[in-house]
C-alpha cells in the first residue's frame, strides 16, 4: 500500500510499494494487518439462471454467481451495513455484427460469505462476515433475484465502491419483473433474432476491493442459449465463464476483426471501446462501435468520430439499455450531429451535460451503448473521443479505434485533408512548428503553439520581448512574465497496483503552476534516500498528464520508491521534489 512522508507544509510525493510475490498464499491468517496485503475480488463463475416471469412484453431473469478472493487478506462481507459487495447482472446480444446490451438488473447486496474453493485451493475460512483468502462464495440465481436484497445502481460510486445502506427501496418487492434482470421479449424471440448469440455478465463492486485498486477485474461473462416462442422465452447457460473480462470482449471473442481499446480516466474509472468496419460493397462501409463503461463514476455524455469531408453518411444509429423499477435516469436517446466546420469533420452523439440534467441518459457504469453509421470510405486505424459527463480534468478522453479514412488519395489536398492526416495528397508536414500563434499543430507531433518545444528555436516564433521577461521566442504570453515562473510542488501522490496494469501513479497539480503549460517527471528508485545515482525516469505516455504507469515490479520483498516533480512546459523552470523529514530539499536525476 502507498506510504507518504510529511514535508514542511505539504505531503511529500513519495510512495512505497511492497509486492507479496511468492508469498501471496503462504500467510497464516486472513486479516489485512500487514503492508501490501489487500483483497482482490473476482467473479469466478456464472453457474445458474432462473426465469422469474414476464410482464408487459418484458421477461425477468437472475443469474447465480460465485465470487472468489484472489487477494492476500480477507474481503469485507457485512450484510447488515455497507461493508459488502454489490452484484450487477447484465445481458447482451450479438446479431448481424452488432453487439448490444439488452438488459440490466438492480444490484444484489451481498450477505454472509461462505468458505468454498472454486478458484484456488487453501481457503482460509471465516465466520461469514468476510470472504477469506483463496475462498469462494456461491450465490444461487434465486438468491441473486431476491427483490428485498436488490438496490439501485444510482447510489453506488464504482470508483470507491461506496454506497448508502440500506439502499433506496431495498426492502421493497413487487411484480415478477421488479428490479430483476429485465429483457424485452422482442430481443429474445428466436423468430426475430435469427443467428443471434447471447451472453450474460456479472460484476462485483466493493469498497475494500476498490481501495486496493483491484476493481478492474470484477466482471465476468458467459454465453447462453436462448429459446422459446410466443411470449415465453428462457435461456440455458452454455460454454464457460470468462473470468475477469467484461462482456464487451465477447464480441471480439466471436469476431477477431473487432478491435478493443481500454481507456482509463485519471482519478476515475475504466471504459472499453470496441469497433468494427464491414465492407458493404460498392465502396460503402458500415462502422459499428460499442462502448462499455466498466466503472467510471464520471460517466460519458458524448461520442465523436472523425469522418471525411466529402463522404456520404447514411444509417446513423444509437442504442442504449433501459433503466427500470424506479432508477431516476432519463431514457432519452442521444442526439446526432455532424460538425461540417471542423478539419476533419466530426460525427457526434451526445446527451445533456451534468449541469443541465444530473439524471441525463449518460453512459454510466455497468452499461454499454452503441453508435453506428455507413460511409463511402474504407477503414484505417485512428481514434474516437469520449466526452465525460461529470465535470473534472480531463474533460474528454480518446480511444484507439477503427475509423473511416479521411483521405481520398487522389493527389489533391482538398478541404478536410491536411498534411498530418493525408501526406500523400497534402505533402509531408514541416519538421518544426511554422507559427506559435495559429492554434494549429503544423508539424503534426500532437502539440500546438507554445506547448510545442519547437517554439523555443523556430525562427517563426522570434519577436520582441514585450514584457521584459528575458524570453523572445516561445513566449507563451508576451504580456505576462508570470508564465515563466518555476512550478511549485506536485502534491498527493497515490498509487494502485494490479497484476495486469502494473503500478498506476496519480497526483495533484501544484498549487502554483507558474506556467500556462506544465509537464511532469516521474522518478523511481530502489533506495529511499537516493534519487540521483540509484534512480531511473519512468517515461510517461503524456508528459502533461497527472498520471503515469510503471509496468516494472520490484523483486519479492523489495521496495520501489517514487517522486514526481513539475516542470514549466515552455520550458523555463524545474520544480521541487519536496523535502525530507529534516527539511532538506531532495535531489533527483534529470530526465530526458
Amino acid at each position: 500500500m502507498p506510504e507518504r512522508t510529511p514535508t514542511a507544509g505539504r505531503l511529500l510525493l513519495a510512495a512505497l510499494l511492497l509486492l507479496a510475490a511468492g508469498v501471496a498464499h503462504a500467510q497464516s491468517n486472513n486479516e489485512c494487518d500487514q503492508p501490501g496485503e489487500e483483497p482482490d475480488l473476482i467473479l469466478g463463475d456464472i453457474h445458474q439462471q432462473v426465469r422469474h416471469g414476464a410482464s408487459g412484453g418484458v421477461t425477468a431473469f437472475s443469474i447465480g454467481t460465485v465470487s472468489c478472493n484472489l487477494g492476500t487478506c480477507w474481503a469485507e462481507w457485512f450484510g447488515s451495513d455497507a461493508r459488502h459487495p454489490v452484484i450487477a447482472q447484465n445481458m447482451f446480444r450479438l446479431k448481424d455484427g452488432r453487439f448490444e446490451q439488452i438488459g440490466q438488473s438492480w444490484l444484489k447486496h451481498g450477505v454472509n460469505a461462505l468458505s468454498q474453493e472454486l478458484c484456488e485451493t487453501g481457503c482460509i475460512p471465516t465466520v461469514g462476515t468476510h470472504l477469506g483468502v483463496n475462498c469462494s462464495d456461491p450465490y444461487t440465481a434465486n438468491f441473486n433475484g431476491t427483490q428485498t436484497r436488490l438496490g439501485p445502481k444510482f447510489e453506488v460510486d464504482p470508483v470507491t465502491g461506496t454506497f448508502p445502506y440500506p439502499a433506496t427501496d431495498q426492502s421493497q418487492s413487487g411484480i415478477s419483473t421488479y428490479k430483476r434482470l429485465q429483457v424485452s421479449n422482442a430481443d429474445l424471440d428466436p423468430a426475430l433474432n435469427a443467428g443471434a448469440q447471447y451472453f450474460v455478465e456479472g460484476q462485483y463492486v466493493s469498497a475494500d476491493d476498490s481501495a486496493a485498486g483491484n476493481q478492474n477485474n470484477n466482471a465476468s461473462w458467459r454465453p447462453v442459449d436462448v429459446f422459446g416462442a410466443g411470449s415465453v422465452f428462457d435461456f440455458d447457460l452454455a460454454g464457460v465463464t470468462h473470468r475477469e473480462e467484461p462482456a464487451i470482449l465477447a464480441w471480439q471473442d466471436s469476431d477477431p476483426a473487432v478491435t478493443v481499446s481500454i481507456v482509463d480516466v485519471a482519478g476515475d474509472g475504466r471504459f472499453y471501446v470496441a469497433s468494427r468496419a464491414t465492407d458493404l460493397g460498392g465502396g460503402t462501409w458500415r462502422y459499428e462501435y460499442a462502448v462499455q463503461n466498466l466503472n467510471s463514476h464520471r460517466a460519458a455524455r458524448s461520442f465523436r468520430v472523425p469522418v471525411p469531408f466529402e463522404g456520404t453518411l447514411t444509417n446513423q444509429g444509437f442504442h442504449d439499455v433501459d433503466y427500470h423499477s424506479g432508477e431516476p435516469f432519463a431514457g432519452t436517446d442521444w442526439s446526432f450531429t455532424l460538425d461540417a466546420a471542423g478539419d476533419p469533420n466530426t460525427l457526434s452523439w451526445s446527451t445533456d451535460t451534468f449541469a443541465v440534467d444530473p439524471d441525463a441518459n449518460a453512459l454510466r457504469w455497468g452499461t454499454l451503448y452503441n453508435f453506428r453509421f455507413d460511409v463511402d470510405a474504407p477503414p484505417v486505424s485512428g481514434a474516437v473521443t469520449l466526452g465525460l459527463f461529470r465535470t473534472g480534468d480531463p474533460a474528454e478522453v480518446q480511444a484507439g479505434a477503427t475509423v473511416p479514412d479521411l483521405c481520398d488519395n487522389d493527389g489533391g489536398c482538398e478541404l478536410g485533408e491536411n498534411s498530418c492526416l493525408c501526406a500523400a495528397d497534402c505533402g509531408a508536414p514541416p519538421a518544426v512548428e511554422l507559427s506559435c500563434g495559429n492554434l494549429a499543430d503544423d508539424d503534426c507531433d500532437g502539440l500546438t503553439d507554445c506547448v510545442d518545444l519547437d517554439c523555443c528555436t523556430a525562427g517563426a516564433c522570434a519577436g520582441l520581448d514585450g514584457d521584459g521577461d528575458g524570453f523572445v521566442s516561445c513566449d507563451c504570453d508576451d504580456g505576462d512574465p508570470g508564465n515563466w515562473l518555476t512550478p511549485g510542488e506536485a502534491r498527493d501522490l497515490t498509487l494502485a497496483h494490479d497484476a495486469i496494469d502494473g503500478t498506476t501513479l496519480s497526483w495533484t497539480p501544484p498549487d502554483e503552476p507558474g506556467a500556462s503549460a506544465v509537464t511532469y517527471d516521474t522518478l523511481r528508485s530502489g533506495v529511499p534516500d537516493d534519487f540521483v545515482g540509484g534512480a531511473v525516469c519512468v517515461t510517461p505516455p503524456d508528459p502533461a498528464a497527472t498520471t503515469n504507469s510503471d509496468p516494472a515490479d520490484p523483486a519479492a520483498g523489495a521496495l520501489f520508491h517514487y517522486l514526481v516533480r513539475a516542470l514549466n512546459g515552455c520550458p523555463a523552470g524545474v520544480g521541487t521534489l519536496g523535502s525530507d523529514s529534516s527539511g532538506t530539499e531532495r535531489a533527483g536525476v534529470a530526465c530526458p
Side-chain angles (χ1 to χ4, degrees), residues 82-141:
R83 292 174 295 166
H84 60 257
V86 293
I87 310 162
Q89 303 165 62
N90 300 308
M91 192 169 187
F92 304 82
R93 179 188 61 193
L94 175 57
K95 176 186 174 184
D96 298 331
R98 185 167 293 169
F99 188 84
E100 298 173 320
Q101 184 173 358
I102 58 173
Q104 64 176 323
S105 73
W106 279 33
L107 306 174
K108 160 66 184 297
H109 282 254
V111 58
N112 190 45
L114 300 181
S115 298
Q116 299 183 1
E117 295 184 346
L118 173 72
C119 299
E120 297 282 350
T121 59
C123 166
I124 305 176
T126 72
V127 296
T129 55
H130 295 81
L131 180 62
V133 174
N134 300 335
C135 299
S136 63
D137 176 48
Y139 282 164
T140 66

Side-chain angles (χ1 to χ4, degrees), residues 301-392:
R301 64 162 300 269
S302 66
F303 179 79
R304 302 201 307 271
V305 186
V307 293
F309 182 82
E310 296 182 342
T312 300
L313 289 163
T314 57
N315 298 323
Q316 301 92 339
F318 167 82
H319 181 273
D320 57 10
V321 60
D322 291 338
Y323 291 93
H324 57 81
S325 304
E327 288 273 16
F329 304 133
T332 307
D333 284 355
W334 290 19
S335 59
F336 160 79
T337 58
L338 174 63
D339 181 3
D343 185 13
N345 290 348
T346 302
L347 195 61
S348 65
W349 291 260
S350 63
T351 188
D352 288 332
T353 65
F354 183 84
V356 170
D357 182 6
D359 291 329
N361 187 25
L363 174 56
R364 301 173 191 271
W365 78 271
T367 57
L368 179 148
Y369 287 4
N370 299 85
F371 312 90
R372 61 184 65 101
F373 59 90
D374 299 345
V375 68
D376 52 348
V380 294
S381 295
V384 296
T385 303
L386 286 174
L388 300 179
F389 180 57
R390 287 184 171 86
T391 57

Side-chain angles (χ1 to χ4, degrees), residues 347-578:
L347 195 61
S348 65
W349 291 260
S350 63
T351 188
D352 288 332
T353 65
F354 183 84
V356 170
D357 182 6
D359 291 329
N361 187 25
L363 174 56
R364 301 173 191 271
W365 78 271
T367 57
L368 179 148
Y369 287 4
N370 299 85
F371 312 90
R372 61 184 65 101
F373 59 90
D374 299 345
V375 68
D376 52 348
V380 294
S381 295
V384 296
T385 303
L386 286 174
L388 300 179
F389 180 57
R390 287 184 171 86
T391 57
D393 183 22
E396 60 184 31
V397 291
Q398 287 195 320
T402 299
V403 299
D405 192 345
L406 303 179
C407 311
D408 57 18
N409 300 310
D410 63 355
C413 190
E414 296 138 346
L415 188 62
E417 297 182 333
N418 57 56
S419 58
C420 297
L421 301 169
C422 310
D425 286 348
C426 300
V432 297
E433 287 288 287
L434 300 178
S435 170
C436 290
N438 63 357
L439 302 179
D441 178 17
D442 302 309
D443 59 359
C444 309
D445 63 357
L447 303 171
T448 59
D449 296 345
C450 234
V451 177
D452 195 325
L453 300 187
D454 296 336
C455 288
C456 294
T457 57
C461 298
L464 298 175
D465 181 12
D467 56 8
D469 60 6
F471 294 92
V472 177
S473 65
C474 194
D475 198 333
C476 289
D477 182 353
D478 201 39
D480 182 6
N483 275 318
W484 295 97
L485 299 175
T486 298
E489 182 183 356
R491 300 170 293 112
D492 303 327
L493 177 67
T494 60
L495 62 84
H497 178 271
D498 62 53
I500 298 175
D501 299 323
T503 300
T504 300
L505 302 101
S506 303
W507 56 89
T508 302
D511 290 332
E512 301 168 353
S516 60
V518 178
T519 61
Y520 298 93
D521 287 339
T522 303
L523 279 61
R524 183 188 74 214
S525 175
V527 182
D529 56 356
D530 183 6
F531 279 85
V532 181
V536 297
C537 295
V538 182
T539 303
D542 179 4
T546 55
T547 184
N548 197 0
S549 296
D550 185 7
D553 286 338
L559 295 172
F560 273 170
H561 309 261
Y562 294 92
L563 293 175
V564 173
R565 65 181 163 214
L567 304 92
N568 191 314
C570 289
V574 177
T576 177
L577 288 169

Side-chain angles (χ1 to χ4, degrees), residues 41-44 46 88 90 200-205 214-221 241-249 272 292 294-295 366:
L41 292 181
I42 71 163
L43 197 165
I46 298 171
N90 300 308
V200 290
E201 175 197 66
Q203 180 179 356
Y204 282 71
V205 175
N214 292 326
Q215 67 271 37
N216 290 333
N217 64 348
N218 293 9
S220 300
W221 61 272
T241 299
H242 293 249
R243 295 177 181 174
E244 303 181 62
E245 293 183 3
I248 194 170
L249 296 182
Y272 284 77
Q292 184 169 2
L294 180 69
N295 53 25

Side-chain angles (χ1 to χ4, degrees), residues 144-162:
N144 279 347
T146 301
Q147 292 171 333
T148 54
R149 291 299 302 178
L150 295 173
K153 277 187 175 180
F154 80 91
E155 292 183 322
V156 177
D157 183 331
V159 176
T160 63
T162 57

